[in-house]
Amino acid sequence: MENLDVIPIPAPAEIAARCRAFYLAPAVRSKGWLPNLFWRPATRDNPFGTLRVDPWELEVLFAAISGAPALSRTALEQRSPGRAGFIERSIGHGELPLLSFHEDVA
């Protein structure tokens, strides 16, 4: 029998790659946000180092802007009930919600 309560948790590398791809897409780039708002630079020439913010929250945010499904939405909702919906509603109202720092995520 299959356990329906198991929530698949996306691989961190997959979410990081999706966040970068979403960021480089026109829908997100049109916001005018600099990469250092979300990432610590890897080098002077590579702004995409380690994430400053929670990767699940960032992926939900960028997916909402892009109109794509977020792979981490269910896992984020399980960890922080209502958080993904709040992020999506904020983007729908044209607001940038405050995201959790990456170090603060348990």
Side-chain angles (χ1 to χ4, degrees), residues 28-98:
V28 176
R29 294 292 293 169
S30 70
K31 299 293 185 185
W33 298 325
L34 296 176
N36 66 355
L37 184 60
F38 309 109
W39 284 272
R40 288 178 192 85
T43 65
R44 181 178 204 145
D45 298 325
N46 180 5
F48 302 103
T50 59
L51 281 169
R52 292 180 187 272
V53 297
D54 175 19
W56 292 355
E57 291 183 5
L58 186 61
E59 196 248 349
V60 167
L61 178 121
F62 286 167
I65 292 168
S66 301
L71 298 180
S72 57
R73 187 187 197 291
T74 304
L76 177 58
E77 279 295 310
Q78 183 181 29
R79 186 184 72 203
S80 301
R83 185 70 179 148
F86 168 76
I87 292 169
E88 292 163 343
R89 285 189 306 279
S90 294
I91 288 301
H93 292 136
E95 301 168 350
L96 174 60
L98 182 63

